[in-house]
Amino acid sequence: MAENNISNLLEVTMQKLRTIVDSDTIIGNQINVGEITIIPISKFSFGLASGGSEFPTKTSNAKMFGGGGGAGATVSPVCFLVIKGNEVKVLNATNTETPIEKAISAVPEVINKISDLFKKDKAEEVK
């Protein structure tokens, strides 16, 4: 019985978190400034705890359940995608960058360089 009550507590907590977080929380609505499009990207972190127990009652053989649950959440800006024409750049919202974040932020620049190489090769073939 207690296990079912704890499951219900966790289910309600997760439902409440789902109402807070949707895809717009992580990847924000785009902002257009002239020919530039800016898309904010955020990180969502959460933790939750739940517990309970059954207690005997003095008046009957039935047991009472006592328990509780809670959750905490944060939304932190990570970066902004800046799009201008075919050029895409990643502007970090923080100064600390992990190696993976550095690699991801370098991807658009690498793609642009590879694209430029192919354009140069095609131009040389035409000559």
Side-chain angles (χ1 to χ4, degrees), residues 23-56:
S23 61
D24 288 337
T25 305
I26 307 304
I27 300 177
N29 295 324
Q30 70 181 31
I31 303 161
N32 296 312
V33 180
E35 59 186 48
I36 298 173
T37 301
I38 302 168
I39 302 172
I41 311 261
S42 298
K43 174 177 74 171
F44 176 76
S45 303
F46 74 95
L48 61 100
S50 183
S53 182
E54 289 182 330
F55 301 97

Side-chain angles (χ1 to χ4, degrees), residues 84-107:
K84 182 177 180 182
N86 290 331
E87 191 176 329
V88 178
K89 291 189 178 183
V90 177
L91 297 177
N92 290 312
T94 61
N95 291 335
T96 57
E97 212 177 9
T98 66
I100 292 173
E101 290 169 334
K102 288 179 183 178
I104 291 171
S105 65
V107 168

